[in-house]
Amino acid sequence: MGLIERIGSDYAYLTGVLRSLSKVTKVAKNPGRTYPQVLRGLAETYGDKLALISDRERLTYRQYDRRGDQYARWAMAHGITKGDVVALMMPNRPEYLAVWLGIARAGGVIALLNTNLTGAALAHCVNIVSAKHIIVDAALIAGFRTAEPHLKAGPLFWCHGGSPEGYERLDTRIDALPDGPIPESELPQLTIDDKCLYVYTSGTTGLPKAANINHYRVQSIMFGFNGAMKMGPDDRVYVCLPMYHTSGGVLGPGAALTAGASVVLREKFSASMFWDDIVKNECTVFVYIGELCRYLLNSPPHPSETKHRIRLACGNGLRPDIWADFQKRFRIPKILEWYAATEGNCVFLNFDGKIGAVGRIPKWMERKFFVEIVRFDVDTEQPVRGPDGLVVKCEPGEVGEAISKIINDPKRPSQRFEGYADPGATDKKILRDAFEKGDRWFRTGDLMRKDAVGYYYFVDRIGDTFRWKGENVATSEVQEAITTFPGIKEANVYGVRVQGAEGRVGMAALVVDGSLDLDGFGRHVTGHLAAYARPVFLRVTGEIDATSTFKQRKIDLVKQGFDPAATGDALFFLHPILQTYVRLTPPLYGDVCEGRIRL
C-alpha cells in the first residue's frame, strides 16, 4: 500500500469510526434510556412520516409508537414483567417491529423464532428460553403445530390473524386496546443492561443457540450503523433479510429509524423482484449478506438493475470473487462490508471499500481495540499454546482464529460478552488464560488473517476448514477459486473421510448451468489451487441446501460422502493416474475405499 493510499484509508477509517463511536458513546452515557424511549422521542419528532413500509401495511412513526403501546398494555395485563420471555414467530412485516417494541416497553424479552424451523428444533428454541407466551402468525400455524408435542408445559398460545383450536386470537385484542402513551410511572424501570431480545444462531451444525441481546447491544447496533452508513431522514433502507436475525431485524431497520429515515420491508428475498422493489420504493440503501449478492449476480439482466437511487450497500459475507463484478454490474457507488457476531464483542468495518477485507484496524488504533488473531490447530479445533502455556499470536498473513477480549467495565460496554440462554454454550465460547492468568477472550469461531497494514480477511468457519496431506484447506477459498469457472452457479465445499487416509479429502457439491466441462474444470482447479486443496470428488446437484440466511448446510453432505449409493446425484472423481475427473461408479468407489487407488 502506497503512502497516498494509506492516508486515504486512514482518513476513511478515522472518520467512519468517529461517526459510529460518537453515537454509541451516547448510549453508554444514558444507561436508563432504552430503545422504546428512543422511539417515543422519534415519534414526537417525525410524527406522520412513514417509518415502516411493506406491501401489507404501512406505519408512520406515530402509529408505530402507538401500536407498541397497545402491545405493552396487552403484555402487562397478561402478567409480563421485567425479564419474562415472549416468543414471536411472524414473517417480515411492520407489525413485527411493533410487537417487539411493545413487549420490550413492558420489560419483557422477545425471542425471535426462525420462521423456517419446525418440530423438535423449533420446540428447542422455545423451551431453552422458558417462554411464558408464544405469538404465532396465522400463516405459520401449520409449521408451529409440529413443535407442539415437544414443548414443555407452561406457555400460552396466541395467534396473530386467526383463532385456531388451542390459540387465543391476538390482533383483535390489540386493536381494541387504547393506543395513547403509557405514563412512565406505570412502566418498569429498565436500563441498558437489561435483556431485550433472544436472537438465535442459524444452527448449521446443530440445534440453534439463543444469544442474549441486552438493551445496550440493541442500541449500539442501531446507532453504530446509523453513523457508519451516514444515515439521514431522506434515506430509505430496503430490508429483505429475515427479521428474526440481527441484520434484518435490528441493524437495517434500527440504523434507519434512529435517523428518522424509512424502512421498506419485503417478506422474503426475491432475485426477480429485488430491483423492482428498490426502484418502486425509491430506496437509497440496502442490507445484504454475501450469498444474496451472488444470487443477484447469477440472475439474468433486469431492466431496473441500474435505474435505482442506491448510494450504499451494507452487509457482510461479500466474497472477493464477485465483489468487483457485483459493484460494477449494478452500479453500486459504495459498499460497506463488516464483520460481527450477534452475541460477540468483535466488530470490523471496511470503511474504505478494500475488496475482500472485512475491515481494518490501523496500527495507531490497535490499543483501542482488543482483537487478536491466534494460531489454531484444525485437528483439535483449539488455539495453539506455546511452551509457556499461553496462546501464540499469528504473524501478518498467517491464518488463525479471531478472538476479542472480554472486559466487564461500564466504560467499555462493547467489550462485554452476554453469552447464551444455555450456560454451557456460553462457556464454550470463552478462551481463558490466553495471554495472562485470569484473562478471558471471546472465541469468534472464525479463521481470519491480518495483513501488515491492519486489514482483516475472513478465511473460513472453524469446522469447515479441514486437513489433507498435512495442509489446512479453507473451504471458502476453494469455493472462491472454483466458482470463477464458467457454468458454476454455486458451490459447497467440504471434507469427507476416506478409509485408510489421514485427514479429510476435499469434495464439492456443484450447481451448474447446463453440462459441466470436466476436462476444462480439471485444468481450472489445477491452475488455481494447490494439489492438496483441489476437490477430489465432485457432486453435481440441482440445488444446495441452505439456511434462511443462505448459509450452506454441510452436515448431510458430509454424512453421505462420496458413496454413489447414498445419492441420485452424479458423482465424479479426480483420477490420480488419468489426472482428470471421471464418473465415480460403484466399482471405482470400491477401489478407492479398499485402497487399490491411492489418493
Side-chain angles (χ1 to χ4, degrees):
M1 177 184 279
L3 177 60
I4 302 228
E5 187 181 2
R6 177 84 62 88
I7 291 172
S9 176
D10 285 354
Y11 178 78
Y13 178 84
L14 181 60
T15 54
V17 165
L18 289 176
R19 284 197 310 271
S20 291
L21 288 181
S22 65
K23 293 177 181 290
V24 173
T25 300
K26 292 177 182 177
V27 176
K29 288 182 177 180
N30 292 276
R33 190 167 184 248
T34 61
Y35 174 66
Q37 293 171 307
V38 171
L39 197 279
R40 180 82 81 210
L42 291 166
E44 292 171 358
T45 301
Y46 295 103
D48 294 328
K49 181 179 180 181
L50 281 172
L52 304 168
I53 303 166
S54 77
D55 290 339
R56 188 169 181 170
E57 60 211 359
R58 295 182 169 212
L59 294 176
T60 65
Y61 275 86
R62 184 176 291 111
Q63 289 169 333
Y64 172 33
D65 183 52
R66 289 181 174 179
R67 192 65 168 169
D69 275 316
Q70 289 177 305
Y71 279 104
R73 284 189 167 91
W74 167 82
M76 292 189 292
H78 287 82
I80 296 296
T81 58
K82 186 175 177 178
D84 290 337
V85 179
V86 178
L88 173 63
M89 191 170 183
M90 179 180 283
N92 283 13
R93 55 182 290 197
E95 191 80 359
Y96 191 102
L97 288 169
V99 174
W100 86 246
L101 170 68
I103 303 300
R105 184 167 278 164
V109 182
I110 312 89
L112 307 181
L113 300 178
N114 185 325
T115 57
N116 295 285
L117 291 180
T118 57
L122 176 55
H124 163 81
C125 293
V126 176
N127 293 335
I128 200 171
V129 298
S130 302
K132 288 191 173 183
H133 296 265
I134 303 169
I135 301 171
V136 186
D137 190 274
L140 302 172
I141 283 291
F144 191 82
R145 289 255 190 223
T146 65
E148 290 178 11
H150 308 282
L151 292 172
K152 294 178 182 177
L156 300 176
F157 298 148
W158 300 85
C159 182
H160 201 287
S163 52
E165 184 179 354
Y167 289 73
E168 294 284 339
R169 180 151 187 173
L170 179 62
D171 51 319
T172 51
R173 292 199 181 196
I174 297 298
D175 291 341
L177 291 172
D179 67 355
I182 301 174
E184 287 292 323
S185 60
E186 297 179 17
L187 293 171
Q189 296 296 307
L190 300 173
T191 73
I192 57 176
D193 291 328
D194 288 313
K195 204 174 294 179
C196 180
L197 302 173
Y198 280 117
V199 179
Y200 296 84
T201 62
S202 296
T204 55
T205 57
L207 290 172
K209 298 191 293 288
N212 300 323
I213 311 298
N214 63 15
H215 281 274
Y216 168 78
R217 188 168 292 273
V218 166
Q219 289 191 80
S220 68
I221 293 169
M222 292 178 167
F223 282 102
F225 278 90
N226 169 320
M229 296 159 70
K230 297 183 182 179
M231 295 299 300
D234 293 333
D235 278 310
R236 282 196 168 194
V237 179
Y238 183 68
V239 177
C240 60
L241 302 180
M243 297 183 73
Y244 52 76
H245 279 322
T246 310
S247 289
V250 180
L251 188 157
L257 294 170
T258 52
S262 301
V263 186
V264 178
L265 298 169
R266 183 175 181 85
E267 185 171 318
K268 292 182 179 180
F269 165 69
S270 168
S272 62
M273 295 298 295
F274 186 88
W275 296 112
D276 282 338
D277 282 349
I278 292 280
V279 172
K280 178 181 70 175
N281 291 289
E282 300 183 307
C283 296
T284 57
V285 176
F286 68 84
V287 291
Y288 68 82
I289 52 177
E291 287 307 298
L292 179 151
C293 301
R294 190 181 296 278
Y295 290 150
L296 288 173
L297 196 60
N298 286 336
S299 298
H302 191 286
S304 298
E305 67 183 34
T306 58
K307 296 179 180 178
H308 54 75
R309 297 176 52 204
I310 291 294
R311 66 171 181 82
L312 175 73
C314 176
N316 67 309
L318 181 56
R319 302 301 298 170
D321 58 313
I322 67 165
W323 188 314
D325 290 341
F326 179 79
Q327 188 166 13
K328 181 180 179 181
R329 172 178 164 180
F330 300 119
R331 299 181 188 174
I332 310 296
K334 183 173 177 59
I335 291 175
L336 178 63
E337 173 80 3
W338 52 269
Y339 169 89
T342 295
E343 71 280 26
N345 61 357
C346 179
V347 180
F348 299 110
L349 290 126
N350 183 350
F351 286 111
D352 62 342
K354 174 78 169 179
I355 290 179
V358 298
R360 181 178 177 230
I361 301 178
K363 198 77 174 174
W364 43 270
M365 282 293 284
E366 286 182 348
R367 291 186 179 181
K368 296 287 186 181
F369 296 92
F370 302 89
V371 179
E372 299 290 351
I373 308 294
V374 298
R375 288 182 181 168
F376 184 79
D377 187 323
V378 171
D379 293 328
T380 64
E381 295 194 353
Q382 293 293 322
V384 172
R385 292 184 181 267
D388 58 1
L390 304 179
V391 300
V392 181
K393 295 181 183 181
C394 288
E395 298 294 328
E398 185 180 0
V399 175
E401 183 178 6
I403 61 173
S404 182
K405 193 170 186 179
I406 299 170
I407 302 174
N408 289 325
D409 181 347
K411 296 179 181 179
R412 293 184 178 275
S414 62
Q415 290 298 133
R416 288 172 50 174
F417 171 48
E418 303 300 330
Y420 307 95
D422 177 6
T426 300
D427 191 63
K428 290 178 181 179
K429 295 293 284 186
I430 299 175
L431 177 65
R432 292 177 169 82
D433 304 330
F435 299 105
E436 60 184 12
K437 193 71 175 176
D439 67 357
R440 301 189 309 149
W441 294 71
F442 171 71
R443 293 188 61 188
T444 65
D446 289 325
L447 298 179
M448 293 191 182
R449 60 182 172 85
K450 181 179 77 169
D451 68 17
V453 293
Y455 285 105
Y456 289 78
Y457 299 85
F458 176 85
V459 176
D460 215 3
R461 287 287 300 164
I462 288 174
D464 289 350
T465 288
F466 58 90
R467 197 162 180 82
W468 180 242
K469 293 188 181 295
E471 301 285 351
N472 295 337
V473 180
T475 60
S476 61
E477 293 185 345
V478 176
Q479 180 178 318
E480 283 177 30
I482 63 180
T483 50
T484 58
F485 183 73
I488 303 294
K489 297 178 66 176
E490 194 175 357
N492 191 356
V493 179
Y494 48 99
V496 295
R497 299 286 183 185
V498 177
Q499 184 177 329
E502 186 176 340
R504 287 188 286 162
V505 64
M507 186 167 182
L510 306 176
V511 177
V512 302
D513 186 5
S515 59
L516 179 62
D517 175 6
L518 290 172
D519 289 338
F521 184 76
R523 292 190 295 272
H524 179 82
V525 298
T526 299
H528 288 78
L529 292 168
Y532 64 84
R534 297 166 194 161
V536 174
F537 300 105
L538 303 178
R539 175 174 177 168
V540 178
T541 186
E543 64 177 358
I544 291 174
D545 190 25
T547 70
S548 55
T549 52
F550 310 122
K551 294 179 180 177
Q552 297 172 331
R553 291 192 173 98
K554 302 176 188 280
I555 297 175
D556 290 340
L557 293 172
V558 171
K559 287 180 179 178
Q560 293 166 5
F562 60 101
D563 184 357
T567 177
D569 293 337
L571 301 181
F572 300 92
F573 170 53
L574 183 56
H575 201 291
I577 298 174
L578 302 177
Q579 289 294 299
T580 190
Y581 287 98
V582 298
R583 186 67 181 253
L584 183 62
T585 60
L588 189 55
Y589 170 76
D591 288 340
V592 173
C593 291
E594 296 299 325
R596 289 186 289 272
I597 295 179
R598 299 190 63 180
L599 302 179

